Amino acid sequence: MVLTFVILYLLISVGVGLLAATRVHSAKDFAVAGRSLPVPIVMATVFATWFGAEAVMGISATFAKEGLRGVVADPFGSSLCLVLAGLFFAPRFYRLNLWTVGDYYRLRYDRRVEVLCTLCIVASYLGWVAAQFKVLGLVLNVVTQGAVSQSVGMMIGAMIVLTYTTFGGMFSVAILDFVQLSVIVGGLLYIASVLSDATGGVGAVISHARAAGRLEFFPPPSLKAWIPFVGAGVTMMLGSIPQQDVFQRITSAKDEQTAVRGSLLGAALYFVFCFVPMFIAYSALMIDPVKFGSLLESDAQLVLPTLIVEHTPLLAQVMFFGAVLSAVMSCSSATLLAPSVLLSENVIRGAIPQMDEKGLLTTMRMVLVGFAAVVLAIALTSDSSIYRLVVNTYKVTLVAAFVPLFAGLFWKRATIQGALCAIAAGLATWLGAECLSAEQAVVPPQLAGLAAAALGMIIGSYLSEPSATPRS
């Protein structure tokens, strides 16, 4: 029954995505849905893009193991990123009428800054999309009771997502996100209600988690504890702002007000709803503390699917796997599209100026297929946890892309030379600090890189002539 539902759901998703593809007539339609999306769709696509593998499997497993302190990066840091993007970046981005965040670097600085920042942003998506593919493989492995291995499941899931994203672009992603939002919310809330009955209610779960120290958020009062804590939160909060998926949702809105409202509503929904899978995962420790405690130590990512398969009725299993597939497919399609559009528009098209609109659309689709192949290879060979794959991806954008973006928007004195110095100083410092052992590092490498990038921007800008400020 569950397997039949999963197959049917996947086929329907592909059908909806391909139907949406009939609205794609240009590269602009493919990249930003013709800048036509209303508030509900923008909110849904902001939420669904971020509520993926790490939210369902990663955050929940990390919370069950480490408590709130362990998830400071996501959902706390990531939700604040969306709030900052909505309040301070969305209005400025929308007025510029650009397709990609890479376009901004070219407009504000020059081609060199555009290419360097674009490549760093694209690299940051590798781990994120790999995490989504890992969960697709895990789900198909569980629902087939091992008949489909996780590796084969990853390949099947990747092909399904690739099919409708390649044809429909942002239109397919946005429409499916809106449809899948109801499946995610309804499915996980139903699972939470079933497990609430089994554990004695929400209050009992919260009391148990508090007694176990899982609700302690702030670390002990020492620099050794606080610096990594702040570093984890800042990495997601600021490192996610230069991401193309954030920019893409803002610029796909039908107007500036819609862009701001959609981002803020999506952030609020994401933050609140991330606690539902946390509740579900922690319930497992109350239902069977020995088994799930052992599983938490050996492979925490299996806690949720094992709990659902072994301790919930059939309807709950159908709802759960429908919600997981919705979350992961919507997230993986969006995070495949974003870097593919970036590479096509800001690296390849710049190298081939004579490329027309039709050629750009074809290039975007070809790059999307190639990027998916690279990410699939990473997912098949990586042994990192889903949560770590996602969190670690934002370090490169934090140290290389955030300072040039922030300074370009809010500091008139920022120059091309300052941006290049910021990128070089940030990357060099971060990579150098990463080579040190954890005992030798005084601060997290990404924070050292961020500080170096800011210093590079200031020094480089004051030693050169100011750049032209873009229209706004």
Side-chain angles (χ1 to χ4, degrees):
M1 178 67 179
V2 177
L3 180 58
T4 301
F5 168 80
V6 167
I7 293 173
L8 181 62
Y9 182 79
L10 292 174
L11 290 174
I12 291 174
S13 296
V14 172
V16 172
L18 293 178
L19 183 62
T22 59
R23 299 187 62 180
V24 176
H25 305 294
S26 67
K28 183 178 181 180
D29 291 339
F30 189 84
V32 292
R35 290 170 65 92
S36 62
L37 303 182
V39 170
I41 301 293
V42 175
M43 178 195 70
T45 194
V46 167
F47 167 81
T49 298
W50 286 58
F51 197 86
E54 75 289 352
V56 180
M57 302 292 198
I59 292 175
S60 59
T62 303
F63 170 75
K65 192 173 183 178
E66 304 176 25
L68 283 179
R69 194 177 300 158
V71 294
V72 60
D74 196 8
F76 291 93
S78 53
S79 298
L80 283 172
C81 163
L82 292 174
V83 170
L84 292 175
L87 290 176
F88 302 108
F89 291 86
R92 293 170 180 264
F93 278 165
Y94 196 88
R95 290 174 209 149
L96 294 174
N97 194 26
L98 306 175
W99 289 7
T100 71
V101 67
D103 289 342
Y104 174 79
Y105 291 111
R106 182 185 67 251
L107 181 66
R108 180 62 173 84
Y109 301 109
D110 68 358
R111 171 71 177 160
R112 293 169 297 173
V113 178
E114 173 193 16
V115 172
L116 288 172
C117 287
T118 294
L119 292 176
C120 289
I121 294 169
V122 168
S124 73
Y125 280 94
L126 295 172
W128 194 0
V129 187
Q132 315 310 315
F133 286 175
K134 273 181 171 286
V135 173
L136 286 172
L138 180 64
V139 169
L140 292 176
N141 174 255
V142 171
V143 298
T144 60
Q145 298 180 341
V148 174
S149 68
Q150 290 194 31
S151 297
V152 173
M154 288 182 209
M155 290 186 276
I156 294 173
M159 287 300 299
I160 291 170
V161 173
L162 187 61
T163 298
Y164 66 77
T165 308
T166 301
F167 286 100
M170 190 61 193
F171 267 124
S172 288
V173 170
I175 292 173
L176 272 174
D177 282 351
F178 186 73
V179 172
Q180 290 166 337
L181 175 62
S182 59
V183 179
I184 295 168
V185 172
L188 290 182
L189 286 178
Y190 175 72
I191 297 296
S193 68
V194 170
L195 292 174
S196 177
D197 293 337
T199 55
V202 175
V205 176
I206 293 175
S207 297
H208 192 284
R210 182 182 294 112
R214 296 297 197 278
L215 300 187
E216 295 177 3
F217 181 66
F218 295 108
S222 69
L223 282 177
K224 187 176 181 180
W226 269 90
I227 290 176
F229 178 80
V230 172
V234 167
T235 299
M236 287 288 282
M237 181 173 63
L238 301 183
S240 303
I241 288 176
Q243 294 290 334
Q244 171 63 12
D245 60 278
V246 175
F247 185 94
Q248 210 161 11
R249 271 123 202 86
I250 290 171
T251 52
S252 295
K254 65 179 183 179
D255 55 47
E256 183 181 320
Q257 192 176 51
T258 298
V260 175
R261 288 179 177 176
S263 182
L264 294 178
L265 289 172
L269 182 61
Y270 176 76
F271 179 76
V272 171
F273 209 74
C274 274
F275 287 90
V276 177
M278 290 188 213
F279 172 85
I280 295 172
Y282 194 80
S283 297
L285 297 178
M286 295 178 64
I287 292 173
D288 192 340
V290 175
K291 178 175 183 176
F292 288 107
S294 174
L295 195 59
L296 199 62
E297 295 300 323
S298 59
D299 192 348
Q301 295 163 173
L302 287 173
V303 169
L304 239 63
T306 304
L307 170 70
I308 299 304
V309 169
E310 297 184 0
H311 294 276
T312 62
L314 183 60
L315 177 60
Q317 294 177 39
V318 170
M319 295 289 283
F320 173 77
F321 288 112
V324 171
L325 283 172
S326 293
V328 177
M329 288 173 65
S330 60
C331 188
S332 54
S333 60
T335 50
L336 272 177
L337 179 65
S340 303
V341 170
L342 260 179
L343 271 176
S344 303
E345 167 71 10
N346 300 111
V347 177
I348 299 174
R349 190 182 194 182
I352 312 174
Q354 67 271 23
M355 183 183 294
D356 59 14
E357 186 84 0
K358 184 178 180 181
L360 178 60
L361 178 58
T362 301
T363 300
M364 287 178 178
R365 286 171 166 156
M366 291 174 62
V367 170
L368 196 150
V369 174
F371 189 81
V374 172
V375 171
L376 180 59
I378 293 173
L380 291 170
T381 56
S382 174
D383 57 0
S384 296
S385 72
I386 292 165
Y387 187 78
R388 292 303 163 198
L389 271 174
V390 172
V391 171
N392 288 334
T393 59
Y394 297 103
K395 293 179 179 179
V396 64
T397 47
L398 177 68
V399 303
F402 174 73
V403 169
L405 178 68
F406 181 84
L409 286 170
F410 299 104
W411 189 37
K412 292 182 179 180
R413 190 66 179 77
T415 68
I416 296 171
Q417 192 65 35
L420 292 172
C421 288
I423 296 168
L427 285 173
T429 303
W430 169 56
L431 292 172
E434 287 283 1
C435 294
L436 300 175
S437 65
E439 293 75 20
Q440 292 175 294
V442 179
V443 299
Q446 69 271 26
L447 285 189
L450 176 62
L455 187 61
M457 171 61 77
I458 294 170
I459 294 174
S461 294
Y462 276 114
L463 293 178
S464 56
E465 290 298 318
S467 305
T469 303
R471 64 188 186 277
S472 62

